[in-house]
Amino acid sequence: MSVFFWILLIVACSAVHIEGCSHGVHRSAEIIVYADRYRYHKNYHELELVRGFIEGLENATNHQVMLHLYDYNFKDLQEHFRSHPGRVSFIPQEKFIVEFINSMTWRPQPGRSHILILIVGGLDPFLFTKPKIHKLQRAGVEIFVIGSKIFRDYKLYDIVSYPPKTHLYDLLDYPSPDRALSALAQSVCRSIEVKERRAKKALLSQVRLVDGGDRCRGRVELLYNNTWGTLSDEDWDRQGADVICRQLGCGPSLEAMKGDAFGPVSGNILEKVDCTGDEHDVSECLLGAWTEPDSTRPQHSAGVSCLSSAISKVTLTDGSSTCSGKVKVFQDNKWNLVPAFEWHVEEEAVLCKQLGCGLAIERARVKEMSIRKEKDPHTDVRSIYCSGHEASLSACSSVLSKGHKCESGEAEVLCSQSGISKVRLVGGDSACSGRVEVFYNQAWGTVCDDTWDLSNAHVVCRQVGCGPAKRAPREAYFGPGSGSIWLEKLFCNGTETLIAQCGGVVSKNSLCAHSQDAGVICTDKESL
């Protein structure tokens, strides 16, 4: 599969060591860098920093990077490249960045992806005019942004792909440019490898825990390319342990163990797995090299201890109906309450969907009352983490801590007794485009764009009888609505038939404004 990168490089970056993509996974990528500092012929130290970054990116992705330089003195630049030879060369570019983008002709082909990375700083606002950027989005471009201080000056959430936490990077959030750029490169690698998921699963097809006494405890062994081997404890952490516990159908991880806790390395060694903790299968993580044992470099095995089961049952107590009350979960063979401080709207959305109720209702006042309670009950469940898309709490990650003191009080939830019954599109130029409005509580209202993405848009398009979504515009693209903003957040996976089947949150005191109304552009019925 061919992957096409556009990287627009504006700020100078230090030469960096960037962690690579997974070993042994075939990737085909064309990587192009556009740099418009335009005075590199006077600032060769900045040019060398750019070249250092590009070399690091080449090493990470194992592909050549084509550097497009915007400057007005190419003669001096060419002389510098001749006198300072290296692996990175450049292509003179006379077009300024906006002209460069506008001159692109995008012809997406089946089996081909496009990724755009903006490394920005101090740009004129006209660069980010939406029609120019949306031109790329309509072509199916996945967009990443990295820069310094830019997020105080520009609102980039409508530019980057969803979710922003993996596509938007501020250099000020990292101790060094190396760390920021390495994080960016790893996100790019993960994005590429999503498209290679089947190949990775065929490469790393199984995982098991051995010598721990039961299936949810032991040394981590993996079937890699039809050969069993051991996972090294290098960089081994709870995020990777959670993924393996989830894959094996166990409960959350209790401990990620190092140093041959369940016996020494046996057979070949997988150098590492780098997981975010949200993956459902360890093959979705970034994978290290698969090597033979090396007596000159002692290596130790990774181990993990998981709960024997995840959250198996949930109930609400002391509520006015079966869809409201204090949250209790059955895990580790007993009922446990859930601390209020670590209970969020994402968990509420999943729980309401699991119980067959309507949308979760955000109630800040009730939560404040819970947190202020004087008594401090104890529980073994420290926290539960959901993305909002899960079918039940059993699919979410949870953290256990024996005898944890709930200083924040007990988590509570209020689910609506009814869901979204109807959906319509308003203000578009066809029946398959417009502002998304939903019928709830006997009235029409809009949808906040806080979690709005193509997955949500696909479900809306399906429900209104149109084809797949082409875009999921935000920020009142089709004009602001009026009345209530019913949906504060929506969590669809994209496969549902109706948005009533998705998790969602209604807020009585919405933090959204109608300037954030979500919209959709679907494939027209005639083109199906």
Side-chain angles (χ1 to χ4, degrees):
M1 183 175 291
S2 178
V3 182
F4 186 50
F5 291 74
W6 287 98
I7 302 176
L8 286 85
L9 185 58
I10 316 306
V11 296
C13 307
S14 61
V16 297
H17 170 71
I18 297 174
E19 294 291 336
C21 300
S22 294
H23 286 255
V25 179
H26 174 72
R27 293 172 301 275
S28 177
E30 180 182 1
I31 305 176
I32 298 178
V33 175
Y34 179 95
D36 73 345
R37 179 68 171 81
Y38 79 83
R39 290 186 178 179
Y40 285 120
H41 68 281
K42 291 185 178 180
N43 299 283
Y44 292 125
H45 65 287
E46 293 186 7
L47 177 61
E48 288 307 309
L49 294 177
V50 170
R51 293 175 75 180
F53 165 68
I54 295 171
E55 266 195 45
L57 192 61
E58 286 184 331
N59 292 333
T61 59
N62 197 30
H63 285 86
Q64 183 181 6
V65 176
M66 300 298 294
L67 171 62
H68 288 243
L69 278 178
Y70 175 81
D71 207 303
Y72 56 82
N73 192 332
F74 290 121
K75 183 178 179 181
D76 286 356
L77 279 180
Q78 289 169 336
E79 180 59 36
H80 178 78
F81 271 78
R82 279 194 293 268
S83 61
H84 296 77
R87 201 171 62 186
V88 177
S89 58
F90 82 101
I91 298 173
Q93 182 56 248
E94 296 180 354
K95 294 180 179 178
F96 186 57
I97 184 170
V98 176
E99 298 174 303
F100 186 72
I101 292 175
N102 286 339
S103 67
M104 295 177 185
T105 302
W106 300 89
R107 296 188 180 92
Q109 301 173 10
R112 191 171 201 178
S113 300
H114 303 76
I115 296 178
L116 166 65
I117 303 177
L118 298 169
I119 305 182
V120 300
L123 292 176
D124 292 328
F126 65 82
L127 172 62
F128 295 116
T129 53
K130 290 180 182 177
K132 295 178 175 66
I133 295 299
H134 286 168
K135 174 185 176 182
L136 305 183
Q137 292 177 330
R138 284 194 297 271
V141 181
E142 186 171 1
I143 300 176
F144 296 80
V145 172
I146 185 170
S148 179
K149 298 182 180 179
I150 57 172
F151 311 131
R152 294 166 176 76
D153 303 322
Y154 307 106
K155 187 169 183 180
L156 299 179
Y157 289 94
D158 196 41
I159 295 172
V160 299
S161 297
Y162 186 84
K165 70 177 182 179
T166 59
H167 290 80
L168 191 57
Y169 295 87
D170 191 334
L171 291 168
L172 297 181
D173 292 336
Y174 294 84
S176 68
D178 296 38
R179 296 282 187 88
L181 290 165
S182 184
L184 168 64
Q186 286 187 308
S187 286
V188 171
C189 286
R190 294 182 198 280
S191 179
I192 299 171
E193 292 179 12
V194 163
K195 303 167 182 63
E196 304 295 339
R197 186 170 293 169
R198 291 184 180 179
K200 290 183 69 180
K201 181 61 179 175
L203 186 68
L204 201 168
S205 57
Q206 295 181 49
V207 62
R208 66 188 181 191
L209 301 179
V210 300
D211 296 339
D214 64 64
R215 68 180 187 87
C216 293
R217 177 181 169 85
R219 182 176 66 253
V220 181
E221 292 192 350
L222 313 108
L223 186 62
Y224 188 99
N225 202 18
N226 297 316
T227 302
W228 283 101
T230 308
L231 176 63
S232 168
D233 67 355
E234 181 181 353
D235 298 325
W236 180 234
D237 56 22
R238 286 289 293 274
Q239 286 79 15
D242 279 337
V243 174
I244 285 177
C245 291
R246 186 178 301 123
Q247 182 175 348
L248 292 173
C250 302
S253 67
L254 296 172
E255 187 176 1
M257 304 173 184
K258 296 186 175 185
D260 299 331
F262 297 101
V265 167
S266 174
N268 286 5
I269 301 164
L270 184 64
E271 296 285 352
K272 69 173 183 177
V273 294
D274 187 344
C275 307
T276 65
D278 296 325
E279 298 88 351
H280 291 87
D281 189 300
V282 72
S283 67
E284 297 173 16
C285 304
L286 295 181
L287 309 177
W290 181 253
T291 62
E292 295 182 354
D294 185 354
S295 59
T296 64
R297 186 168 67 94
Q299 291 178 295
H300 301 285
S301 65
V304 63
S305 177
C306 319
L307 271 181
S308 58
S309 64
I311 295 172
S312 57
K313 292 183 284 187
V314 62
T315 188
L316 300 181
T317 63
D318 301 332
S320 58
S321 72
T322 56
C323 292
S324 66
K326 298 175 183 177
V327 181
K328 289 190 176 182
V329 297
F330 193 77
Q331 189 167 26
D332 199 19
N333 296 316
K334 68 176 184 177
W335 287 99
N336 290 279
L337 59 86
V338 178
F341 187 72
E342 292 291 343
W343 183 252
H344 307 99
V345 293
E346 290 81 3
E347 289 80 52
E348 291 179 356
V350 173
L351 178 55
C352 289
K353 180 168 62 173
Q354 178 180 350
L355 294 173
C357 301
L359 301 166
I361 299 176
E362 169 69 9
R363 300 181 303 161
R365 185 174 300 175
V366 173
K367 286 189 175 182
E368 289 174 4
M369 291 172 60
S370 296
I371 292 174
R372 291 171 185 164
K373 286 181 179 178
E374 295 181 1
K375 64 176 183 178
D376 294 331
H378 291 74
T379 181
D380 289 347
V381 176
R382 185 183 184 92
S383 55
I384 299 173
Y385 297 108
C386 303
S387 68
H389 298 86
E390 297 86 353
S392 67
L393 291 185
S394 63
C396 302
S397 298
S398 55
V399 177
L400 299 189
S401 179
K402 296 288 185 180
H404 176 65
K405 188 177 182 180
C406 297
E407 297 178 349
S408 62
E410 303 171 50
E412 300 179 30
V413 68
L414 174 62
C415 309
S416 170
Q417 297 291 323
S418 60
I420 301 296
S421 59
K422 292 183 285 187
V423 179
R424 69 184 183 186
L425 303 181
V426 179
D429 56 8
S430 75
C432 291
S433 67
R435 180 177 62 253
V436 180
E437 295 191 354
V438 298
F439 195 73
Y440 172 78
N441 201 22
Q442 303 302 311
W444 287 99
T446 60
V447 178
C448 180
D449 66 3
D450 189 26
T451 58
W452 188 246
D453 61 11
L454 275 174
S455 295
N456 296 321
H458 281 313
V459 179
V460 168
C461 290
R462 189 175 296 121
Q463 184 166 352
V464 298
C466 298
K470 294 192 289 187
R471 281 187 55 203
R474 302 161 86 175
E475 293 189 340
Y477 183 87
F478 293 100
S482 60
S484 299
I485 302 174
W486 282 134
L487 277 176
E488 182 88 9
K489 298 179 188 291
L490 185 63
F491 305 104
C492 297
N493 294 309
T495 57
E496 298 88 349
T497 305
L498 309 169
I499 64 171
Q501 298 167 350
C502 307
V505 179
V506 174
S507 178
K508 291 186 177 180
N509 300 296
S510 178
L511 299 177
C512 272
H514 280 297
S515 59
Q516 296 173 265
D517 284 343
V520 68
I521 299 175
C522 315
T523 305
D524 289 336
K525 300 175 186 178
E526 291 78 7
S527 62
L528 295 177

